[in-house]
Amino acid sequence: MKSLTPDTIAAPFGHYSHGIAAGPIAVTSGQLALRPDGSIPEGVEAQADYCFDALRAILVEDGLDFSDVLKVSAYVTRREDMKGYMAARDRACADLQVKPASTLMIVSGFTRPEFLVEIEAIALRRPSS
């Protein structure tokens, strides 16, 4: 197994990796919109855009990109934030020939009330042709 913890995103909050690569599989921890400088984007859509950027950075650590994602799971704190999250997800997946499977859940909150969305992904390295 290999830890995927890019230095271009905020360090993990504790003793865990942002992602793990194990053979052809890469899984990410849930990503919150915490920039390296400690700031948090305003609004769920901007936060989701940032989370997707963080997921991309984690995947790049293992030579993958967003087209390798099998499934995205996301969590929002308010039903009215679903539209903003889905707009960001649709942008992240716009150019993909095969869209990843997707789960969206409404949760009661995250570690800080400013966080409105958390997103994680599972990716698969495809065999070279």
Side-chain angles (χ1 to χ4, degrees):
M1 290 193 305
K2 175 173 101 174
S3 175
L4 306 174
T5 304
D7 58 11
T8 56
I9 61 177
F13 292 152
H15 297 290
Y16 64 92
S17 299
H18 278 310
I20 294 289
I25 302 283
V27 296
T28 72
S29 294
Q31 295 301 299
L32 296 163
L34 181 65
R35 295 177 178 134
D37 68 3
S39 65
I40 299 169
E42 288 285 325
V44 70
E45 194 167 337
Q47 287 190 22
D49 284 333
Y50 188 85
C51 292
F52 281 115
D53 288 344
L55 291 173
R56 283 187 197 90
I58 295 164
L59 295 171
V60 165
E61 289 281 301
D62 196 39
L64 302 170
D65 63 42
F66 214 69
S67 70
D68 297 306
V69 172
L70 297 171
K71 183 174 184 192
V72 172
S73 296
Y75 313 87
V76 296
T77 57
R78 301 176 308 191
R79 191 170 308 280
E80 59 266 25
D81 285 339
M82 290 172 58
K83 184 177 178 181
Y85 161 74
M86 291 192 310
R89 184 202 57 204
D90 290 351
R91 278 192 299 280
C93 298
D95 296 331
L96 301 179
Q97 182 178 3
V98 177
K99 311 299 188 219
S102 179
T103 296
L104 175 61
M105 291 181 269
I106 300 168
V107 298
S108 63
F110 301 111
T111 54
R112 290 172 46 186
E114 304 94 324
F115 294 128
L116 303 174
V117 61
E118 183 171 339
I119 308 170
E120 62 188 19
I122 301 170
L124 176 67
R125 181 180 314 286
R126 293 169 282 177
S128 303
S129 35

